[in-house]
């Protein structure tokens, strides 16, 4: 197959490029580098199975060759307002990538009679009042809060994907991705894994926002990519949660990072308002992924962090 992957220079997009190429598919990567990094795909230069188009997906997309599948991953993804890569500092670009970018990539899928896969997010559940979150939960989202630029763009993207599926018969997939981490995350993107690892490896105290009782369920990137690959080649058109269902509090997570990096500088607590609307609890119900895709995560949080540390050490220039 020939596959168009938007957001190819980002964290997840670059791993997807690697996976599809390793499986023998040809990949056309597309990115405008707003939060991505050309280094993430530099190793693919010269590979006959890889080509790249620098383009903003918010504008009409022309793909010079036929494609069999379109994976739409282009969007800023970090909620941290302290990071220049955070979507709170790119609010209109984020809405455009989710809305116009989804429209344009669905248009490509329609024109090429290609399969379409949307990168959606656990954020569509907002600050959830049901726990764990099943795909049938409609969510609890503030439509005008700061995070709405991301949440509502992704909710619109899901709605548009289903509209194209129902109206034009496009063969669509929706993956709801829960917090994923691993090598190639931007070290300054402000999400909790890069922040904590950077602080720990530099011997600084870890910044826990609020009291640290809020929870997340962290997925190692290889597990996620495996789930997405299975979803694309399944026949399932309803949304599927892909995430590790082991839930941990942010405080517990900070302690784990300090232990694994042997950081003695401890933890500092910072005002929770840094991330307004910070969800209190998040854990995927992955029954559907298990049943439909025969998928479940295989990497524990500790093992995943151990695999991620060398990348951060290299980026930070520490031994
Ligand atoms: P990332 O910032 O590393 O990657 C996003 C990529 O999209 C970047 O390379 C960026 O330059 C590109 N991009 C953004 N807007 C663009 C535009 N208008 N045109 C072209 N390229 C554009 O983030 P990521 O963590 O790899 O996230 C990738 C996708 O997965 C996003 O859609 C995100 O919403 C989704 N997601 C990620 C997570 C996670 O935990 N990493 C969780 C839920 C959903
Ligand atoms: N967080 C934190 N310290 C940091 C960065 C994040 O305590 O330096 C918290 C944040 O408030 C949230 C959780 O970690 O409760 C996960 O944040 P992240 O930015 O990774 O993404 P989110 O899951 O909120 O989309």
């Amino acid at each position: 197959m020939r596959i168009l992957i938007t957001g190819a220079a980002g964290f997840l997009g670059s791993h997807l490029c690697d996976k599809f190429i390793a499986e023998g598919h040809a990949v056309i990567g597309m990115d405008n580098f707003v939060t991505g990094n050309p280094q993430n795909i530099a190793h693919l230069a010269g590979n006959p199975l890889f080509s790249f188009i620098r383009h903003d997906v918010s504008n009409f997309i022309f793909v010079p060759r036929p494609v069999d599948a379109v994976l739409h991953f282009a969007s800023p993804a970090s909620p941290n307002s302290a990071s220049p890569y955070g979507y709170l500092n790119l609010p209109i670009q984020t809405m455009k990538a989710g809305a116009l970018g989804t429209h344009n990539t669905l248009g490509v899928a329609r024109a090429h009679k290609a399969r379409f896969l949307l990168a959606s997010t656990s954020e569509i559940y907002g600050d959830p009042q049901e726990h764990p979150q099943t795909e049938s939960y409609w969510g609890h989202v503030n439509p005008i809060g700061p995070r709405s630029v991301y949440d509502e763009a992704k909710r619109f993207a899901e709605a548009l994907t289903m509209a194209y599926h129902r109206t034009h018969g496009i063969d669509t997939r929706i993956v709801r991705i829960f917090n994923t981490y691993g090598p190639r995350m931007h070290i300054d993107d402000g999400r909790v894994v890069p922040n904590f690892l950077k602080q720990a490896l530099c011997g600084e105290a870890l910044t826990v926002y609020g009291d640290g009782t809020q929870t997340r369920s962290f997925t190692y990137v290889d597990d996620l990519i495996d789930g997405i690959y299975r979803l694309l080649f399944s026949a399932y058109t309803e949304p599927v949660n892909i995430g590790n269902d082991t839930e941990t509090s942010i405080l517990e997570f900070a302690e784990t990072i300090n232990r694994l990096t042997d950081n003695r500088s401890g933890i500092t607590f910072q005002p929770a308002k840094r991330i307004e609307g910070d969800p209190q609890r998040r854990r995927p119900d992955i029954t559907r992924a298990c049943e439909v895709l025969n998928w479940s995560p295989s990497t524990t949080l500790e093992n995943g962090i151990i695999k991620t540390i060398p990348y951060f050490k290299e980026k930070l220039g520490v031994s």
Side-chain angles (χ1 to χ4, degrees):
M1 285 172 78
R2 186 178 294 115
I3 300 178
L4 174 69
I5 300 179
T6 73
F11 163 50
L12 298 181
S14 63
H15 284 282
L16 282 170
C17 292
D18 287 350
K19 170 73 175 171
F20 281 93
I21 288 170
E23 299 288 343
H25 303 287
V27 170
I28 303 173
M30 180 171 285
D31 207 294
N32 68 350
F33 303 123
V34 64
T35 60
N37 184 350
Q39 274 181 19
N40 285 342
I41 46 172
H43 60 286
L44 296 174
N47 187 320
L49 289 178
F50 184 71
S51 57
F52 182 77
I53 303 172
R54 184 174 183 157
H55 183 71
D56 180 340
V57 294
S58 309
N59 299 320
F60 180 84
I61 299 169
F62 171 71
V63 185
R65 273 167 292 166
V67 290
D68 306 294
V70 179
L71 275 63
H72 181 37
F73 276 69
S75 169
S78 166
N80 197 331
S81 60
S83 164
Y85 304 101
Y87 57 69
L88 299 177
N89 294 314
L90 300 163
I92 296 170
Q93 291 96 320
T94 302
M95 296 215 74
K96 286 171 77 174
L100 306 179
T102 304
H103 189 218
N104 290 328
T105 48
L106 278 163
V108 172
R110 188 178 177 211
H112 290 252
K113 298 187 171 40
R115 198 170 289 179
F116 180 85
L117 185 145
L118 174 71
S120 186
T121 166
S122 54
E123 279 281 318
I124 64 106
Y125 300 122
D127 192 0
Q129 293 178 318
E130 265 185 30
H131 194 76
Q133 292 79 55
T134 59
E135 290 87 350
S136 56
Y137 177 50
W138 292 354
H140 180 231
V141 173
N142 175 355
I144 56 162
R147 286 175 93 108
S148 65
V149 298
Y150 184 69
D151 302 359
E152 295 293 11
K154 291 288 187 182
R155 288 166 70 97
F156 174 86
E158 286 201 9
L160 192 64
T161 300
M162 291 311 292
Y164 267 66
H165 175 66
R166 293 183 182 121
T167 309
H168 296 307
I170 308 288
D171 192 15
T172 55
R173 310 282 181 272
I174 296 174
V175 56
R176 291 185 180 153
I177 302 168
F178 283 67
N179 296 64
T180 302
Y181 66 94
R184 301 192 194 150
M185 292 191 94
H186 206 301
I187 61 168
D188 294 320
D189 93 359
R191 282 179 276 187
V192 68
V193 175
N195 265 17
F196 281 4
L197 278 178
K198 194 171 62 170
Q199 290 159 348
L201 294 170
C202 293
E204 296 166 9
L206 307 198
T207 53
V208 167
Y209 301 157
D211 60 7
T213 55
Q214 70 272 34
T215 67
R216 292 295 185 273
S217 306
F218 294 103
T219 312
Y220 185 64
V221 62
D222 289 356
D223 285 338
L224 176 82
I225 298 296
D226 175 42
I228 292 171
Y229 193 82
R230 286 171 191 239
L231 177 61
L232 184 72
F233 290 106
S234 76
Y236 199 76
T237 56
E238 298 285 310
V240 179
N241 289 339
I242 301 280
N244 194 312
D245 58 350
T246 306
E247 187 178 358
T248 174
S249 76
I250 294 302
L251 184 56
E252 215 180 309
F253 182 52
E255 286 161 354
T256 303
I257 296 274
N258 275 341
R259 180 167 50 77
L260 294 177
T261 56
D262 204 18
N263 180 32
R264 311 281 165 83
S265 300
I267 287 164
T268 55
F269 292 89
Q270 297 203 350
K273 73 175 171 46
R274 173 163 280 186
I275 302 188
E276 199 185 317
D278 199 357
Q280 241 337 94
R281 304 176 79 187
R282 187 182 283 161
R283 173 157 67 93
D285 181 312
I286 54 172
T287 310
R288 185 175 284 181
C290 293
E291 286 177 3
V292 176
L293 310 177
N294 192 24
W295 176 89
S296 59
S298 62
T299 313
T300 63
L301 184 55
E302 283 207 15
N303 285 342
I305 292 295
I306 289 166
K307 287 186 186 185
T308 307
I309 286 172
Y311 166 81
F312 278 87
K313 280 189 171 168
E314 189 199 316
K315 288 282 158 197
L316 294 163
V318 300
S319 52

